[in-house]
Amino acid sequence: GSRQALDWLAAHDYQLIVPPLADYIETLTSGDDKLNLQTFKITDTLSGRTLGIRADQTPQISRFDASISDKPPQRRYCYWGRRLCAVRPQPWQGREAMRLGAELFGAPPESGDWEIAGMALGAI
């Protein structure tokens, strides 16, 4: 299951990141209109700012990677957690789902695509 997939990714130097389920809307959508429509929105009662419940973890992982000042040339991250979509992504999918994923930053596109494909097959 998920534990074995996370262990597989960890064995290949993918660092587990656990982003928050709710975050400021600009962090969750990164200006992506489609993702903005997918994101449930709520108001933070303390600040009055708009919060969202994540529909995708990738923007949060990207923000985490951008915050690192002394980065190695390639960075590998994995995540596992719930997501909630305001609109079903596909008619056969539910709005709430557990999602396991991996992100690779700094690799050339061709080799990076092959590595991610290999990680997906190995995790299955």
Side-chain angles (χ1 to χ4, degrees), residues 13-83:
D13 298 321
Y14 281 77
Q15 177 186 353
L16 178 62
I17 304 293
V18 183
L21 182 60
D23 209 339
Y24 292 113
I25 194 69
E26 59 273 9
T27 300
L28 294 175
T29 62
S30 299
D32 182 329
D33 290 338
K34 184 177 178 183
L35 194 51
N36 189 40
L37 291 173
Q38 289 276 350
T39 304
F40 274 99
K41 294 162 190 77
I42 54 179
T43 301
D44 181 354
T45 56
L46 294 177
S47 69
R49 292 178 62 191
T50 302
L51 293 171
I53 300 172
R54 70 169 177 240
D56 184 12
Q57 287 94 327
T58 300
Q60 293 173 294
I61 302 298
S62 296
R63 182 174 146 231
F64 171 82
D65 183 69
S67 73
I68 297 172
S69 58
D70 189 22
K71 299 178 200 182
Q74 293 184 10
R75 285 98 46 218
R76 294 167 173 82
Y77 308 108
C78 61
Y79 55 86
W80 181 76
R82 291 197 182 282
R83 69 173 190 146

Side-chain angles (χ1 to χ4, degrees), residues 2-15:
S2 298
R3 178 78 257 162
Q4 290 84 6
L6 287 170
D7 289 345
W8 166 260
L9 290 164
H12 290 86
D13 298 321
Y14 281 77
Q15 177 186 353

